Each structure stands twice: as structure tokens, then as C-alpha cells.
Amino acid sequence: MTVRSVVDALDARFPRNWAESWDRVGLVLGEFEHPVNRVLCVVDCVPETVDQALDVGADLIVAHHPLFLKAVSSIAPDTFKGALVHRLIRAGVALYTAHTNADVANPGVSDALAARLGLTGLRPLAPAEGAAAGEGRGLGRVGELPEPLTLAALTRLAAERLPATAAGVRAAGDPERIVRTVAVCGGAGDSFLAVAARSGADAYLCADLRHHPVSEHLAAGGPALLDVAHWASERPWLDDVAAWLRDAFGVEVLVSDVDTDPWTVHANRDDLEIRP
Ligand SMILES: [Zn+2]
């Protein structure tokens, strides 16, 4: 296997033209003819995960988030991202990104998140349009819980089933509200609050929610909300892409459990899980 053959397969699985127009996906750096024996899947390409890639002897990093989303005029080694580029090139490690093109894919990032909660009968929360349209593709998923749960119980379930983080899981809405239908979206999901409200979901789980959008959404009678750590919402997808890469190429594929969520400390004044 070479970088070129794995990149071609990833591009076919997650076509680059399925990505949002603002997104930047595909091969970031790496020699096409370099052999690939070991792959590391990560959410973020940051010093900690680059350390891990070098430690385990990976030839290729498959990352969810782009290293470069905005244009740069320098990759000098004294810049944060430039230093990573230099380290990767020196070590002969290629870097590939599948971001919003993996979000809309079927199965995609939110399928893996929905599976952790045991949701069935999945459909896209926001069906894909344009180049990515079709076959159950789109951003987010809506599905049914195996049995109805209160919002408080669903919050505990999410905390148990998703990777542990300092941020944990918090929920907004009546803790006793009964939830049957759940919408999920890996990563920042506040742009889909209105879509979630129209989806028929009793609760919507995503990351990066904020005070005013949440308050106004609830005041308008929208579904209960669960706010999880961004990394934890996308980490489940790494298992899926790793399994697919193993099957497709027979290469060794490792999944990073280095928690790259920026939040590292969480404290409550008391131990109550639900604040009245
Ligand atoms: Zn993300």
C-alpha cells in the first residue's frame, strides 16, 4: 500500500466535493509513493497526536479536523502549525483530512455517534444537497432510542457511552422530560437548532452549545438539548473509519484516544448531577 492508494480510496469513500465550500479536505502533506503499513486516526492534528503518530510509527494520519482551514503565508517551524508540518515531513508521516465530507457520508460521523446511544431507524437531520445529495447522506442523524428515557437518564447514558472528558455532558430542559426520538450532530451543532426543532426529536445532542441560542431555543418549545465535548462527539467515528481502512487494505490501523478537547478541568460546587 502507498499513500496514493490509501488517499484514492479515502477520496472515493469521502469525495472531496461533498465537503462544505469553506472546508479544506484531502491530503495535506505526504509523499504519494511512500509505503503505508500503519495508520493513526485522530480527531485533531495537534502536538499530542503527532507525538503519538511518531511513537507508534504511523505512516499516515487520518484526521477529522483540517490542520489548515484558513490561508497561511508561512509554515515556518516557529509557528504552531508550521512546527507540526516540519515534524511530520521529517518523520515521513502523511496527513489526510476528511471533515464535512465525512460528516455527510452514509455512514458518517453522526452515525457513529448515534450508534453509541443505540439509536435505530436513522435518517439525516439535514439531508445533503448538491454534490453530496442522496442515499441517506446529510449532516446529523435522527433516530429512536430502544426505550423511552427521561432527559436525566439520557444524559447519564450519553456520559457512559461517549468517551470520558473533563467537560462531561450537560443537558438543558426539564430533567423529567420523556425522550424517545433523538437528533444528534457530531461537532458544533447550534446551526441546526431550528432543524432539530422541526425534526420531531424530543432531544438534540451536539457540541459547543451556548447560553443565548439554547435559552431561546427552549423558550420557543424546542427539543431538550445535550451538550457534549466536541472531541467526544467525533471520536466514535474514528472506530468506523479505522475498521473500514483495515478491511479495505489489511493495514494496521490505530485509533487515538488522546483527548484533544481543550477543556481539561470541570468542577461543580456540589456533587449533584442535576442542578435544580
Ligand atoms: Zn468537529
Side-chain angles (χ1 to χ4, degrees):
M1 286 304 132
T2 61
V3 169
R4 185 183 299 279
S5 53
V6 179
V7 164
D8 285 349
L10 283 162
D11 283 347
R13 174 76 185 79
F14 306 110
R16 297 185 192 196
N17 66 351
W18 288 3
E20 300 285 329
S21 59
W22 50 262
D23 204 3
R24 299 291 178 265
V25 299
L27 188 67
V28 180
L29 58 88
E31 298 282 352
F32 280 113
E33 304 315 321
H34 196 277
V36 174
N37 296 306
R38 193 169 293 158
V39 180
L40 179 67
C41 299
V42 307
V43 172
D44 293 291
C45 179
V46 290
E48 293 79 5
T49 52
V50 169
D51 287 345
Q52 186 179 19
L54 272 50
D55 284 349
V56 302
D59 307 298
L60 168 68
I61 296 174
V62 174
H64 183 47
H65 291 149
L67 177 61
F68 295 106
L69 198 53
K70 294 174 184 156
V72 296
S73 57
S74 165
I75 52 164
D78 60 351
T79 62
F80 179 81
K81 293 183 179 182
L84 296 179
V85 168
H86 284 260
R87 287 183 68 200
L88 290 170
I89 290 177
R90 267 202 310 272
V93 182
L95 172 63
Y96 182 94
T97 295
H99 189 215
T100 54
N101 49 334
D103 289 331
V104 299
N106 179 24
V109 174
S110 292
D111 288 290
L113 173 58
R116 290 285 182 113
L117 300 176
L119 302 182
T120 56
L122 297 178
R123 60 185 191 275
L125 175 61
E129 296 172 349
E135 294 177 44
R137 293 194 288 269
L139 296 170
R141 294 292 184 267
V142 183
E144 311 300 320
L145 285 168
E147 57 183 356
L149 295 175
T150 64
L151 175 61
L154 176 62
T155 306
R156 282 192 292 274
L157 181 78
E160 285 167 15
R161 298 280 183 86
L162 294 179
T165 59
V169 180
R170 58 183 178 172
D174 178 358
E176 299 306 318
R177 179 174 181 160
I178 300 299
V179 178
R180 295 178 177 82
T181 304
V182 181
V184 300
C185 182
D190 57 357
S191 59
F192 296 118
L193 286 173
V195 180
R198 289 194 298 270
S199 73
D202 305 305
Y204 173 42
L205 179 150
C206 63
D208 298 354
L209 290 176
R210 294 177 299 142
H211 177 103
H212 290 297
V214 167
S215 304
E216 288 166 20
H217 164 91
L218 291 174
L225 299 173
L226 293 94
D227 185 39
V228 306
H230 192 129
W231 174 80
S233 73
E234 297 175 328
R235 160 64 184 81
W237 173 71
L238 302 182
D239 289 329
D240 284 8
V241 73
W244 176 78
L245 282 167
R246 279 182 209 112
D247 284 352
F249 295 105
V251 291
E252 189 179 352
V253 187
L254 308 170
V255 171
S256 176
D257 269 313
V258 173
D259 174 359
T260 53
D261 212 61
W263 310 111
T264 55
V265 178
H266 178 94
N268 259 347
R269 185 160 168 167
D270 51 41
D271 292 326
L272 290 177
E273 291 179 33
I274 304 164
R275 305 286 297 275

